[in-house]
Every structure is written in C-alpha cells, then in structure tokens.
Amino acid sequence: MPVVATAAPVHSSSPPAASDAAAAEAEADLSSALSLANIRQTLIRLEDTIIFSLIERAQFARNEPVYEAGAIPVPGFHATGSRYSLLEYLLREIEQVHGRIRRYTSPDEYAFFPEDLPALVLPPITYEQVLAPCSTVVNINTAILDMYLQDLLPEISVPGDDHNYGSSAMNDVTALQALSKRIHYGMFVAEAKFRKQTEQYSELIRRQDSAAILDLLTDRAVELKVIERVRLKAATFGVDLSSGGDGCTSYRVQPEVVAQLYEKWIMPLTKEVEVQYLLRRLDAESGGSSSDGAAAASKAQQRQHSAAA
Ligand SMILES: O=C(O)C(=O)C[C@]1(C(=O)O)C=C[C@@H](O)C=C1
C-alpha cells in the first residue's frame, strides 16, 4: 500500500536510479523522509485519526463480550477451536484482506497477527531502505492491544452493554491501527535522531544501555507541546454541539482523558519502540541478533514473497 504520510517513507516501483539527477532526487527524498520536522508532522496528522477514532468508539458502551474469547461465537471460525475474541477475529480478518494488497510490506505498517499474513495479490513495491534492517524485528502490537483494552477503552466508553458489538469492534480496529502506526513511527524518529547524533547513540548501543538511550532521545519540551495540542484537538473535535444551553460544554471524550492517554501510554510506547529499534540499530543482518522473530520473519517473508512474485 503506498505510504501517504507527509514524511512518506521513500518508495519506488522502478529500478535503482541510473542518472546523477535521479540519484540526487533519491537522496533528497531520503533526507526529506528522515527530517525530524517532517516525521513530527506525520505524528501530528496521526493525532487527528486517533482522536476521531476514539470519539467514534465512545458513542458505544463498553460491550465486554466483544473482548472475551468465544463470548460471541463466529460460525465456521470458532468451530476450529479458536480462542479469539470478536475483536481479534475482526482484526485478523481485516489484516488478511489488507495484507494481500501489500499493506504490511510498507515500512510504516505493522500487523497484529504478523505470523498469519497472506500472500500478496499485487506486484511488490520496492521500498528505499530508510530504516535499518532491524526494523522488521520490532513489533509491540501485543502491548498496544493490552494497553487499549486495559487502560484506554475503560476511560472512553461507558460501562454496560448496548449490543452494538460489530460497530464497537470496527471502531476498535480503526483506533488500534492508527495507534499502531503512530507508535511504530517511532522507528523513523529514532533513525533521524541516530543520524543526527551517531557517535553518542553508537556508544550507548554498544553498551546496550537502554536507560541512557531513553534519556538521550527524550525531549520533554516536545512532549509537553504534544500533550497540550491533543488536549486542544480533543476539545475542538469532540465538543457536543447538541448539548448545552445551560452554559456547560459537553465533550464526547473528555479532552483531559486524551491528554493523559498520550502522556501515560502513547508517548511511552513510542519511546519503547525507539529504544528497541536503537538497541538493534548496529546489528548487521536483517532480523538482527534477536530470536523474537515471528513479526520479523513474517514482515520479511511478505517482502521476500513480494520480491519473488
Ligand atoms: O518527537 C520526538 O522527538 C519523539 O521522539 C516523539 C515523542 C512522541 O512520542 O511524541 C517521543 C519522545 C520525545 O520525548 C518526544 C516526543
């Protein structure tokens, strides 16, 4: 799937550039893709998607059965003995369709069920190598799903059951995919930071000093700006114009809740991705030195499959 982000990872379906002009253009694309300002613009744009998806989900009740394995059996699926919840079923099915049309071969897309990704039906795209090969190893979607179910959903949905199971799950999927993309975009941030301060990061990477890497990449001033901006966006996008008249503004999702979600979960998980990527940044080979390879293997396999198709 072509990457449409502002700081779009550079991709091309044509052979490597032969002429000097084409080489210069490719270099300019690469430096634009790795400009911290451009990458932050993409993070800002993804805030809109995340906040809108949370507002959409908030119109439905908590609907606990959606998240309980087997509570809403899917004919023909649960008969196979699957322990998935309705949400996991939908997420996996959507990844099957999107996976076929190359979504997860893109360097800014990470699947929740990477080990199950299908073969492609479209010819492959050749992506410019912006990130180091270790980017295929990093996938923290399990932690993102846990965070969403345990910390985020209880904050934005009212307790209870309104039987809107399909709608709830659909909105969950939209929110989860946007969160996953935003959080894994941390790898582009990390790469840009690594290229800017290569010596300092390399020293810490050689020592595998994750605490010092976290310290070096943290920019508290930027974080405070993010928190303020998402609070304002949530207040603007989520104001309930149908309420009021009594002088009180009502919100579909409390702006403070969104601000806290960014502060407590979304930015820390982005930093976790940055640290995981940087710890492996100097590994020479694809797949790195790590053995935690289901995600890596499948992303790499899908890419290889693409190349062979
Ligand atoms: O913009 C950056 O420099 C990032 O690393 C991204 C981010 C974020 O998640 O928004 C994470 C860590 C920094 O402390 C600031 C912001």
Side-chain angles (χ1 to χ4, degrees):
M1 178 171 287
V3 181
V4 291
T6 313
V10 183
H11 67 267
S12 144
S13 50
S14 47
S19 72
D20 286 354
E25 197 184 315
E27 200 167 307
D29 281 349
L30 187 64
S31 93
S32 157
L34 283 171
S35 133
L36 202 47
N38 283 349
I39 291 166
R40 286 185 177 142
Q41 280 306 314
T42 300
L43 296 183
I44 290 172
R45 194 183 53 76
L46 285 167
E47 287 165 5
D48 302 1
T49 318
I50 291 169
I51 295 168
F52 273 119
S53 67
L54 297 181
I55 289 170
E56 286 296 299
R57 176 60 185 87
Q59 68 188 297
F60 303 111
R62 187 83 43 87
N63 291 329
E64 291 291 355
V66 171
Y67 313 103
E68 289 163 14
I72 307 170
V74 178
F77 179 72
H78 283 104
T80 61
S82 166
R83 299 286 305 148
Y84 288 152
S85 64
L86 184 71
L87 172 64
E88 289 166 325
Y89 163 77
L90 184 64
L91 198 45
R92 187 182 169 285
E93 289 297 301
I94 287 175
E95 287 189 348
Q96 291 296 300
V97 177
H98 291 192
R100 278 187 207 109
I101 56 163
R102 302 190 289 229
R103 178 170 186 162
Y104 300 104
T105 65
S106 174
D108 62 353
E109 293 282 359
Y110 292 79
F112 285 81
F113 295 92
E115 63 287 353
D116 293 347
L117 287 175
L120 302 178
V121 297
L122 293 180
I125 291 175
T126 306
Y127 289 90
E128 196 80 31
Q129 190 93 24
V130 175
L131 299 177
C134 65
S135 64
T136 58
V137 176
V138 180
N139 182 328
I140 67 159
N141 276 334
T142 303
I144 293 172
L145 185 56
D146 283 351
M147 178 277 286
Y148 183 80
L149 297 178
Q150 284 160 30
D151 304 298
L152 203 155
L153 201 53
E155 291 288 339
I156 61 160
S157 58
V158 292
D161 191 325
D162 59 16
H163 299 282
N164 283 302
Y165 298 150
S167 302
S168 299
M170 265 173 50
N171 285 306
D172 291 328
V173 168
T174 308
L176 282 164
Q177 289 180 330
L179 287 165
S180 171
K181 185 163 182 161
R182 193 280 178 199
I183 289 166
H184 287 100
Y185 223 82
M187 283 187 257
F188 288 91
V189 182
E191 181 63 26
K193 290 182 175 178
F194 176 83
R195 291 193 190 204
K196 228 171 162 183
Q197 287 178 279
T198 304
E199 280 309 307
Q200 285 107 311
Y201 279 110
S202 296
E203 171 60 25
L204 302 179
I205 293 165
R206 278 191 282 273
R207 297 202 320 247
Q208 290 288 284
D209 189 341
S210 50
I213 292 173
L214 179 62
D215 212 39
L216 185 57
L217 64 82
T218 296
D219 187 333
R220 190 61 187 153
V222 171
E223 291 182 9
L224 293 175
K225 273 195 205 163
V226 172
I227 294 165
E228 264 326 295
R229 191 174 53 241
V230 297
R231 185 184 280 117
L232 185 61
K233 282 185 181 180
T236 310
F237 304 161
V239 68
D240 186 354
L241 296 172
S242 64
S243 71
D246 55 1
C248 293
T249 308
S250 161
Y251 297 105
R252 287 173 290 178
V253 170
Q254 285 304 315
E256 189 50 32
V257 165
V258 175
Q260 286 302 309
L261 291 175
Y262 262 81
E263 165 110 71
K264 283 209 263 183
W265 302 112
I266 298 176
M267 291 197 294
L269 285 172
T270 305
K271 290 194 280 188
E272 169 68 22
V273 162
E274 292 187 43
V275 171
Q276 282 198 22
Y277 174 83
L278 286 165
L279 283 172
R280 298 172 166 104
R281 177 61 181 76
L282 300 178
D283 291 358
E285 293 303 318
S286 175
S289 59
S290 163
S291 58
D292 52 344
S298 73
K299 200 166 177 86
Q301 266 164 20
Q302 251 213 336
R303 290 205 183 124
Q304 275 162 17
H305 185 93
S306 317

